[in-house]
Amino acid sequence: MRGTRASEMDLIRRCRGGSAEAWREFVRRYSSLVYRVSYRMLRSREEAEDASQEAFLRVYKSFDSFDPTRPPEPRLSRITYNVCLKRIAKAKTDPAAPMEVMEERLVDRQSVSPERRTGDREAGDALEAAMDQLSAQDRTILSLRYKEGLAVAEVAEATGIPAATVKVRVFRARAKLRSLLGDVLEEVTG
C-alpha cells in the first residue's frame, strides 16, 4: 500500500511538471473512477463519457493546485460530481435532453452483458430501478461510499457536503432502498 501511495505522489508530481506520459498514465489509472461517478449521476453512457472528458479537462487545467501528498480520488470525484451537477441542471432547462437520456437508457437496458444475464438478474434490475428513484446526489454518495470504497470523510471531501450530512444522507438513502427493495430482499434472504 505504501508503494502505491508513493507511486501516486510521484505521478502527480510528474503531471504537475508537465509530463505528457505521466498525464496519459493518470488518465488511464483514474478513468474508470471518473466514468463510474459520471454514469451513476447521469445514467447515460454518452453523457457519462462526455462528462468524464470534461472532468479530466478541468483536472488538467487545475493540476497545479493538486496536492501530491493527498490521494487523488476524492478530488477527482469532486470535480466529476460538480461537472455532472452542471450537466443535470442544464438538462432541466433543455427540453430535448430528457428524451435523449431516456432513449440512451432504453439502449443500455437492451445491451445487457452476459454476466448480468446470468446470476440474479431480477435483483440487479430491481436495485437499478430503486437507485433510479434516488436523487442524483444520493446515488453518487452511495456509489462513492460503497462501490468506490471511499470513507465518509473522503465522500464529504469529494462532494463538498459536511461529513455528518453525508452520514445522514447515506442512512436515509439506504433506508429508502430497503423500502423500495423489500420484496426482492425477502426473496434473496429468505
Side-chain angles (χ1 to χ4, degrees):
M1 187 71 155
R2 187 168 234 192
T4 302
R5 186 70 200 115
S7 81
E8 282 179 347
M9 290 171 61
D10 179 56
L11 182 62
I12 291 171
R13 282 190 187 104
R14 289 185 303 135
C15 285
R16 289 180 68 182
S19 167
E21 180 183 323
W23 175 249
R24 281 191 296 277
E25 173 61 21
F26 184 86
V27 171
R28 186 198 62 73
R29 191 176 290 185
Y30 297 106
S31 62
S32 63
L33 167 69
V34 170
Y35 178 81
R36 286 190 307 266
V37 170
S38 298
Y39 187 80
R40 267 289 159 211
M41 288 186 75
L42 301 171
R43 311 302 274 174
S44 159
R45 287 182 191 173
E46 185 177 295
E47 282 292 315
E49 288 169 0
D50 289 348
S52 296
Q53 288 178 1
E54 185 177 339
F56 275 116
L57 182 61
R58 288 188 187 186
V59 167
Y60 184 78
K61 289 179 178 179
S62 68
F63 226 106
D64 288 342
S65 65
F66 261 71
D67 182 355
T69 63
R70 299 188 53 131
E73 291 90 343
R75 177 94 185 258
L76 282 168
S77 297
R78 182 176 190 145
I79 290 169
T80 306
Y81 176 81
N82 288 333
V83 165
C84 292
L85 283 180
K86 286 182 182 177
R87 286 178 164 271
I88 290 168
K90 182 181 178 202
K92 287 181 181 177
T93 61
D94 181 0
M99 183 57 94
E100 292 169 4
V101 169
M102 288 306 295
E103 288 172 3
E104 179 71 26
R105 285 185 185 176
L106 285 172
V107 170
D108 282 351
R109 288 201 169 102
Q110 291 170 354
S111 60
V112 176
S113 70
E115 295 85 6
R116 188 155 176 205
R117 279 187 225 124
T118 60
D120 199 353
R121 180 190 308 186
E122 184 177 319
D125 290 345
L127 178 60
E128 285 299 315
M131 289 290 284
D132 282 345
Q133 293 182 43
L134 299 176
S135 71
Q137 196 170 45
D138 286 347
R139 280 194 312 267
T140 302
I141 288 170
L142 287 178
S143 179
L144 290 172
R145 179 71 181 101
Y146 297 108
K147 290 195 177 217
E148 304 304 328
L150 297 182
V152 169
E154 292 173 320
V155 173
E157 183 180 342
T159 59
I161 298 171
T165 305
V166 168
K167 286 181 185 178
V168 170
R169 290 193 78 139
V170 165
F171 178 81
R172 289 181 180 163
R174 288 181 59 186
K176 184 171 182 177
L177 283 176
R178 267 193 298 279
S179 72
L180 292 169
L181 295 170
D183 294 339
V184 174
L185 288 174
E186 284 180 26
E187 286 178 26
V188 171
T189 59

